[in-house]
Amino acid sequence: MSHTIYDIARKAGVSIATVSRVFNESSKVSAATRKKVLHIANKVGYQPQGYARGLASRQSNVIIAVVPLLSNYFFLQVLNGIQGVISETDFELHIYNVKPEENPLKQLKRLLGRRWADGYLFVSVHLDEDDWAEVARLNQRMVLIDDAYSGCDYFQINNKKGARKATKFFLDRGFEHIGMITAAKRSIPAGKRCKGFLEIQREYGLTPDDSLVVRGSTAYRDGFNERNGYEAMHQLLALDSPPEAVVCVSDIQAIGALSAMKEQGIRIPIIGYDDIQLSEYIGLSTMRQPMYKMGREGARLLLDSLSERPSELVQENYTPELILRSTTNGIEQ
Amino acid sequence: MSHTIYDIARKAGVSIATVSRVFNESSKVSAATRKKVLHIANKVGYQPQGYARGLASRQSNVIIAVVPLLSNYFFLQVLNGIQGVISETDFELHIYNVKPEENPLKQLKRLLGRRWADGYLFVSVHLDEDDWAEVARLNQRMVLIDDAYSGCDYFQINNKKGARKATKFFLDRGFEHIGMITAAKRSIPAGKRCKGFLEIQREYGLTPDDSLVVRGSTAYRDGFNERNGYEAMHQLLALDSPPEAVVCVSDIQAIGALSAMKEQGIRIPIIGYDDIQLSEYIGLSTMRQPMYKMGREGARLLLDSLSERPSELVQENYTPELILRSTTNGIEQ
DNA sequence: TTGATATCTGTAAGCGCTTTCATTATTATC
DNA sequence: GATAATAATGAAAGCGCTTACAGATATCAA
């Protein structure tokens, strides 16, 4: 059914080497020959087969972005940044999901071992140093976004600092009884944000109350979902002494929390986390993370390191920025 | 650096055919040999190379989901459905973005021509019959989700009917001056929804007012974005006679519209479109589309047709369901 | 024991390309 | 016009696997 390089060569009266050269933009083919080959190829709809090409040339021109369970708004932003950069090149972007049910290290090793791609971008994939080291040993070009490993390029955001900033905003305005809506225990970023939340309170001489740190029961997306925020907020409001303000580990949960408050006709200042695009329209105060930017820079770095000899490691740390909107209005400055 | 099947065969003292058999779960290898080979492979971290495998076996065990610009909440839901099904199998899901700047037909032909995947799921990729026919001629297994082509399996949602339903809700309650927030002109689904909106009004003996059909100026995501809804709503409110109710081609735009109303302290009943997860928490009335379901069914169908001989074509049409929430509250029943 | 059958393993021929190297055709240089 | 340099092409050897096919070994009934 489908044609091979041999068919094209035969029909064009040239050797397969020449056909190959035409498709590889090698300059070493005369304009006349190129035209002839291209004409025939177009007519029969020939295109070099990806697998054969990959095998013979040992490169694929594909970049794989590895993300955990798609459907997180955070990834979307990052992916958009990546996409923007990649689409300006000849590379192709494929997106690969690591499944939450299976050991991630195992999945990564399986993926990289297969050698589909010329380079990999890991977005929000969280492993510890040892595990990353094991992945790095597979010797593929990679850069991490939203995680760090000392032996590799990365772009990271400081989760602890972000949560500290949000909490500090309330502390500086005299609040001493602050709630936190966090996510699943296994979530590393949620853990760090929680830590920052507690840490700064202690620095202010307060003893954080455990009952004010809550998480909903839903495991979907590691607890980063609306329902979770909704449940958690109800839980907080049911407390003997409900919080005077709330810090949340994601915007999406904050939206659920807002809905819970509305239901009970209560309004407590709240700060989310991420600054997803919606938040502006909801009026949600939040910690902005440079998602798009990290995507762009990560992709750019990866692409560069594919062509040039990589020089030294690029390891950047960002701190989220506090964006104030209406959910924190009316608090005395 | 990396090992080939020859290295493993040599170290295990067997032929490469045997190593290959071990990795292909062929039963024709004794338990002892299998164990020996696996042990060595694990020790050195060997894994068959994807390209060589694909070339030799003419199959890849990858499914590619093709979506337009990622970052649309609609796709996310569909992808989740797809992902759920695929992850129960040995197949791998890759996601491929068609770029809005380039001719989609060309991109699809390029993608399929390369023959990366065993099967393709097209999600919300809109081509006309002739173009689909041209894609189909590439002879790859494919199923369409959220578009239709007579020569191929598909799962489609009737956009016109959806918009008719939403509009009818208002018409039946005596509204005669209804606004529509639509998206970019080039968007096919938005066009159909718009058509349904106008059509039913005429059936009710009304003459729809052109000035009540608006779109924001932002081209991002074909106009399916918050800003667009926000701008459009302001435009509607600035009219000499603003609408008494609004139908919107997406939830995300409705959220922008809500924000615009809030700014002006006005509250007009509004119905969105999609029923993204958020909408429940925002209290947005909307047209629910079976996104997750279509993803699941589409993936299942594709997978089935890869193993069994495909019987007859599966072509399903869904109609969105009207979900009433607080943005349509207070309307006399 | 013997042939028939079933089970396991190896040999070797591809899969459809890229790429080195050698060869031939063309052009430039004096 | 002879020689050197350059440009365009082809022959052929892989790339790292899969998979007929054939061969070897083990198992079993008679």
Side-chain angles (χ1 to χ4, degrees):
Chain A
M1 185 74 252
S2 54
H3 304 263
T4 71
I5 197 171
Y6 288 94
D7 303 323
I8 307 304
R10 189 164 21 79
K11 292 191 187 180
V14 298
S15 73
I16 59 162
T18 300
V19 177
S20 172
R21 286 188 192 107
V22 168
F23 280 92
N24 287 288
E25 326 244 301
S26 152
S27 55
K28 309 189 144 196
V29 37
S30 71
T33 313
R34 153 167 290 122
K35 197 176 153 194
K36 188 170 54 182
V37 169
L38 246 23
H39 177 247
I40 295 195
N42 279 330
K43 206 168 66 183
V44 305
Y46 168 78
Q47 236 188 105
Q49 218 246 41
Y51 290 104
R53 227 180 188 185
L55 178 58
S57 69
R58 257 141 294 175
Q59 59 152 37
S60 57
N61 270 41
V62 355
I63 297 292
I64 294 188
V66 181
V67 300
L69 216 227
L70 208 75
S71 87
N72 193 131
Y73 304 105
F74 177 88
F75 308 143
L76 282 191
Q77 297 286 336
V78 179
L79 284 177
N80 260 266
I82 294 173
Q83 171 73 17
V85 171
I86 305 251
S87 69
E88 288 164 7
T89 71
D90 278 342
F91 282 85
E92 232 174 58
L93 177 64
H94 286 203
I95 295 154
Y96 183 85
N97 262 240
V98 318
K99 300 170 205 158
E101 320 88 65
E102 201 192 332
N103 178 277
L105 175 59
K106 216 163 146 189
Q107 290 181 73
L108 295 196
K109 285 172 78 174
R110 201 184 327 120
L111 176 66
L112 297 222
R114 237 180 260 120
R115 249 147 295 173
W116 280 130
D118 294 344
Y120 299 82
L121 285 159
F122 295 98
V123 182
S124 303
V125 178
H126 304 293
L127 299 180
D128 58 32
E129 285 269 320
D130 288 351
D131 284 355
W132 275 128
E134 204 166 325
V135 173
R137 213 169 304 130
L138 262 16
N139 228 30
Q140 301 290 95
R141 277 302 309 152
M142 55 192 240
V143 355
L144 311 191
I145 294 177
D146 188 26
D147 202 35
Y149 160 56
S150 58
C152 166
D153 296 322
Y154 65 74
F155 295 84
Q156 194 194 16
I157 328 179
N158 195 315
N159 285 297
K160 212 167 74 174
K161 277 195 193 163
R164 284 175 59 102
K165 265 197 193 176
T167 313
K168 187 170 186 302
F169 172 81
F170 288 132
L171 291 171
D172 285 344
R173 279 154 190 79
F175 291 84
E176 299 197 334
H177 198 61
I178 308 171
M180 149 129 297
I181 297 181
T182 182
K185 281 205 175 106
R186 65 160 175 239
S187 162
I188 293 176
K192 290 187 179 158
R193 289 171 200 174
C194 223
K195 207 165 164 184
F197 167 77
L198 297 171
E199 194 181 80
I200 188 137
Q201 291 186 71
R202 295 209 189 85
E203 288 175 19
Y204 270 64
L206 299 172
T207 319
D209 179 351
D210 278 357
S211 67
L212 287 175
V213 177
V214 297
R215 50 172 62 85
S217 61
T218 327
Y220 177 60
R221 286 198 320 226
D222 268 8
F224 289 96
N225 59 259
E226 299 91 340
R227 164 118 244 122
N228 187 297
Y230 175 85
E231 285 181 11
M233 193 68 211
H234 272 306
Q235 204 177 325
L236 285 176
L237 293 177
L239 252 32
D240 285 340
S241 91
E244 307 160 330
V246 174
V247 172
C248 200
V249 296
S250 77
D251 283 0
I252 211 76
Q253 285 161 278
I255 287 170
L258 248 18
S259 148
M261 287 196 249
K262 202 169 172 188
E263 243 179 60
Q264 303 212 10
I266 293 172
R267 193 176 168 285
I268 295 174
I270 186 169
I271 297 179
Y273 208 108
D274 280 343
D275 196 25
I276 63 178
Q277 275 176 352
L278 270 174
S279 302
E280 182 184 345
Y281 294 89
I282 305 289
L284 178 64
S285 296
T286 188
M287 300 305 305
R288 176 178 293 167
Q289 311 209 67
M291 304 180 275
Y292 189 79
K293 184 177 177 192
M294 288 197 303
R296 284 195 78 78
E297 314 245 302
R300 193 118 52 192
L301 179 62
L302 181 63
L303 252 21
D304 286 350
S305 75
L306 249 27
S307 45
E308 311 155 11
R309 273 260 52 76
S311 45
E312 60 235 44
L313 289 181
V314 175
Q315 306 189 321
E316 297 243 26
N317 287 282
Y318 299 105
T319 306
E321 177 191 356
L322 176 60
I323 305 292
L324 294 177
R325 293 199 268 249
S326 61
T327 58
T328 47
N329 269 173
I331 297 179
E332 75 215 84
Q333 299 305 307
Chain B
M1 186 74 253
S2 53
H3 304 264
T4 72
I5 198 171
Y6 289 95
D7 303 323
I8 307 303
R10 189 164 22 77
K11 292 190 188 181
V14 298
S15 74
I16 61 163
T18 299
V19 176
S20 173
R21 286 188 192 107
V22 167
F23 280 94
N24 288 288
E25 326 244 301
S26 152
S27 56
K28 310 188 144 197
V29 36
S30 71
T33 313
R34 154 167 289 121
K35 198 176 152 193
K36 188 169 56 183
V37 169
L38 246 23
H39 177 247
I40 295 196
N42 279 329
K43 205 168 67 184
V44 305
Y46 168 78
Q47 237 188 105
Q49 219 247 42
Y51 289 103
R53 230 182 184 182
L55 178 58
S57 70
R58 256 142 293 170
Q59 59 153 38
S60 58
N61 270 40
V62 355
I63 297 292
I64 295 188
V66 182
V67 300
L69 217 226
L70 206 77
S71 87
N72 193 131
Y73 303 104
F74 178 88
F75 308 142
L76 282 192
Q77 297 285 336
V78 179
L79 284 177
N80 260 266
I82 295 173
Q83 171 73 17
V85 171
I86 306 250
S87 69
E88 287 166 7
T89 70
D90 278 342
F91 282 86
E92 232 173 58
L93 176 65
H94 286 203
I95 295 154
Y96 182 86
N97 262 242
V98 318
K99 300 169 206 157
E101 320 88 64
E102 202 192 330
N103 177 277
L105 175 59
K106 216 163 147 189
Q107 290 180 74
L108 294 195
K109 285 172 79 174
R110 201 184 326 122
L111 177 66
L112 298 222
R114 239 180 258 119
R115 248 145 295 174
W116 280 131
D118 293 345
Y120 299 81
L121 286 159
F122 295 98
V123 182
S124 303
V125 177
H126 305 293
L127 300 180
D128 59 31
E129 285 269 319
D130 287 351
D131 285 356
W132 276 128
E134 204 166 325
V135 174
R137 213 170 303 129
L138 260 17
N139 229 29
Q140 301 290 95
R141 276 301 310 150
M142 55 191 240
V143 354
L144 312 191
I145 295 178
D146 188 25
D147 202 34
Y149 160 57
S150 58
C152 166
D153 296 321
Y154 65 74
F155 296 83
Q156 196 194 14
I157 328 180
N158 195 314
N159 284 296
K160 211 168 73 174
K161 278 195 192 162
R164 284 176 58 102
K165 266 196 193 177
T167 312
K168 187 171 186 303
F169 172 81
F170 288 131
L171 291 172
D172 285 344
R173 280 156 189 78
F175 291 85
E176 300 197 334
H177 198 60
I178 309 171
M180 148 128 302
I181 297 181
T182 183
K185 282 206 175 106
R186 65 162 174 234
S187 162
I188 293 175
K192 291 187 179 159
R193 290 172 200 174
C194 223
K195 206 164 165 186
F197 167 77
L198 297 171
E199 192 182 81
I200 188 138
Q201 291 187 72
R202 295 208 189 86
E203 289 175 19
Y204 270 65
L206 300 172
T207 319
D209 178 351
D210 278 356
S211 67
L212 286 175
V213 177
V214 297
R215 50 172 61 84
S217 61
T218 328
Y220 176 60
R221 286 198 320 226
D222 267 7
F224 289 96
N225 59 258
E226 299 90 341
R227 163 119 244 120
N228 187 297
Y230 174 86
E231 285 180 10
M233 193 68 211
H234 272 306
Q235 203 177 323
L236 285 177
L237 293 177
L239 252 32
D240 285 341
S241 91
E244 307 159 329
V246 174
V247 172
C248 200
V249 296
S250 76
D251 283 0
I252 211 74
Q253 285 160 279
I255 287 171
L258 249 17
S259 147
M261 287 196 248
K262 203 170 172 187
E263 244 178 59
Q264 303 211 12
I266 292 173
R267 193 176 168 284
I268 295 174
I270 186 169
I271 298 180
Y273 209 108
D274 280 345
D275 196 25
I276 64 178
Q277 276 176 352
L278 269 174
S279 302
E280 182 184 345
Y281 294 89
I282 306 287
L284 178 65
S285 297
T286 188
M287 300 306 303
R288 176 178 293 166
Q289 311 209 68
M291 303 179 275
Y292 189 79
K293 184 177 176 191
M294 288 196 304
R296 284 194 77 79
E297 314 245 303
R300 194 118 54 193
L301 178 62
L302 180 62
L303 252 22
D304 285 351
S305 76
L306 248 27
S307 44
E308 311 155 10
R309 274 259 53 73
S311 44
E312 61 236 46
L313 289 181
V314 175
Q315 305 189 322
E316 297 244 26
N317 287 282
Y318 298 105
T319 306
E321 176 192 358
L322 176 59
I323 305 292
L324 294 177
R325 292 200 268 249
S326 59
T327 58
T328 46
N329 269 173
I331 298 180
E332 74 214 84
Q333 299 305 307

